[in-house]
């Protein structure tokens, strides 16, 4: 946990005082998403033992997004929100930061086993939601038409998703040779410090007075109501142990950085999206460990 705080604060200080070179964030994010994350997936997925409860972390990601879509889709018109505001909240409060923050936090709280389950939730749950339903919502609320071909291409060509499929095959074949395993591990280990450093570099929190109500409702869903619903779903269907804990905590993660970028790309009130992102990152560093304690972690 200390490593997480140090990297996050270091990124914030560098952004504020050190005048980092242009393109630094994009370069770090490219490495984290395409290289470090792929290596981590290739290292961990072959070691995951099949468990019939593994549906739960994936379903929790879909429940979180679907619930946000339903909640804010109904609330928006009644509260007089613009379609752009409604779409922004669905995206940033329906999609969690299950990789950049989820992996480091799960590793800190539950070690390698927790990290492997976090990968399942992210790569089979959150990422496909972002690349499919997330694009659909962004298109609908910005007045554009969703393009199924683009959605399929984004999923099929995303390196960590390809690594996931390769890792599953490797696991079925008995795992990687020791030599290869020793290559994946150190590359994947760069994800935690670089991901949190990047989050710190991008940290912004400048909510306007008119945004506070919407931001509060959004974070109330993302950090409290969504994980509670996921816990209820898991508890009533007999899911337990670490699978339940990681699934609920991944649902409770701060809003996804990529969701805020998507909101900006589709002009869905980016100032609100970034305010919710910044506040969610800070609050989740408290709420996620607290939730872990409540779950008996």
């Amino acid at each position: 946990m200390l490593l997480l705080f140090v990297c996050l604060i270091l990124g914030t200080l560098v952004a504020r005082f050190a005048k980092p070179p242009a393109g630094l964030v994009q370069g770090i994010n490219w490495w984290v998403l395409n290289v470090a994350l792929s290596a981590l997936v290739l290292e961990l997925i072959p070691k995951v033992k099949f468990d019939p409860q593994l549906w739960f972390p994936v379903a929790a990601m879909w429940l979180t997004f679907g619930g946000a879509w339903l909640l804010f889709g109904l609330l928006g018109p009644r509260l007089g929100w613009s379609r752009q505001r409604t779409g922004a909240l669905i995206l940033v409060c329906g999609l969690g930061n299950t990789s950049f923050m989820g992996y480091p936090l799960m590793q800190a709280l539950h070690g390698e086993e927790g990290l492997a389950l976090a990968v399942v939730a992210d790569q089979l749950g959150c990422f496909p939601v972002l690349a499919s339903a997330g694009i659909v919502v962004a298109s609908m609320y910005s007045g554009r038409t969703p393009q199924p071909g683009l959605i399929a291409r984004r999923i099929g060509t995303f390196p960590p998703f390809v690594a996931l499929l390769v890792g599953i095959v490797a696991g079925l074949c008995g795992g990687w040779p020791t030599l290869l395993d020793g290559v994946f591990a150190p590359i994947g280990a760069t994800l935690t410090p670089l991901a949190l450093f990047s989050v710190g570099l991008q940290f912004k929190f400048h909510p306007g007075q008119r945004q506070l109500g919407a931001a509060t409702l959004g974070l109330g869903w993302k950090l409290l109501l969504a994980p509670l619903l996921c816990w209820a779903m898991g508890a009533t269907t007999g899911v337990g142990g670490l699978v339940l804990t990681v699934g609920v905590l991944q649902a409770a993660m701060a809003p996804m950085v990529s969701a805020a970028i998507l909101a900006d790309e589709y002009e869905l009130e980016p100032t609100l999206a970034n305010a919710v992102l910044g506040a969610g990152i800070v609050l989740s560093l408290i709420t996620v460990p607290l939730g872990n304690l409540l779950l008996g972690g």
Side-chain angles (χ1 to χ4, degrees):
M1 290 297 291
L2 179 60
L3 176 64
L4 308 190
F5 282 107
V6 168
C7 292
L8 185 64
I9 293 170
L10 182 60
T12 306
L13 293 175
V14 167
R16 186 176 179 85
F17 300 110
K19 295 181 180 179
L24 178 62
V25 169
Q26 291 81 359
I28 291 175
N29 289 352
W30 186 91
W31 171 270
V32 167
L33 286 174
N34 293 287
V35 180
L37 180 51
S38 298
L40 188 66
V41 169
L42 288 170
E43 178 201 359
L44 293 177
I45 288 299
K47 300 174 184 176
V48 175
K49 296 179 181 178
F50 176 76
D51 186 329
Q53 296 185 345
L54 285 179
W55 66 269
F56 173 71
V58 177
M61 302 300 100
W62 285 93
L63 176 60
T64 301
F65 186 84
W69 194 348
L70 178 63
L71 176 63
F72 300 122
L74 292 174
L75 276 181
R78 288 165 174 75
L79 295 176
W81 292 349
S82 65
R83 288 182 62 81
Q84 289 77 16
R85 171 165 291 192
T86 302
L89 282 182
I90 294 171
L91 286 176
V92 295
C93 299
L95 293 161
N97 204 331
T98 52
S99 56
F100 276 56
M101 294 197 68
Y103 289 179
L105 279 170
M106 291 305 98
Q107 186 175 26
L109 294 171
H110 295 288
E112 287 284 305
E113 190 177 357
L115 178 58
L117 292 172
V119 169
V120 172
D122 178 59
Q123 288 299 301
L124 291 179
C126 206
F127 166 67
V129 175
L130 168 68
S132 57
I135 299 293
V136 171
V137 164
S139 301
M140 286 176 54
Y141 283 88
S142 65
R144 306 183 194 180
T145 303
Q147 300 177 12
L150 175 62
I151 292 171
R153 189 162 61 251
R154 284 197 177 193
I155 295 174
T157 59
F158 187 53
F161 187 74
V162 175
L164 175 72
L165 300 180
V166 173
I168 291 173
V169 173
L172 293 174
C173 296
W176 299 110
T178 305
L179 185 64
L180 270 182
D181 207 30
V183 171
F184 295 141
I187 297 175
T190 64
L191 184 142
T192 293
L194 287 178
L196 269 295
F197 181 70
S198 175
V199 169
L201 284 172
Q202 300 171 78
F203 180 76
K204 293 177 182 177
F205 181 53
H206 303 293
Q209 190 64 34
R210 295 180 181 179
Q211 297 173 340
L212 284 175
T216 300
L217 287 172
L219 290 172
W221 165 258
K222 187 68 193 76
L223 303 180
L224 180 62
L225 292 180
L228 278 174
L229 276 178
C230 292
W231 172 82
M233 176 179 69
T236 55
T237 54
V239 178
L242 192 56
V243 175
L244 177 67
T245 299
V246 172
V248 171
L249 294 181
Q250 283 286 62
M253 283 298 154
M256 181 191 283
V257 174
S258 298
I261 294 173
L262 190 63
D264 190 10
E265 180 184 338
Y266 281 79
E267 300 177 348
L268 299 175
E269 200 163 341
T271 54
L272 173 63
N274 282 299
V276 172
L277 174 66
I281 288 171
V282 173
L283 290 173
S284 69
L285 290 173
I286 301 170
T287 58
V288 170
L290 180 60
N292 184 62
L293 289 175
L294 293 175
L295 289 165

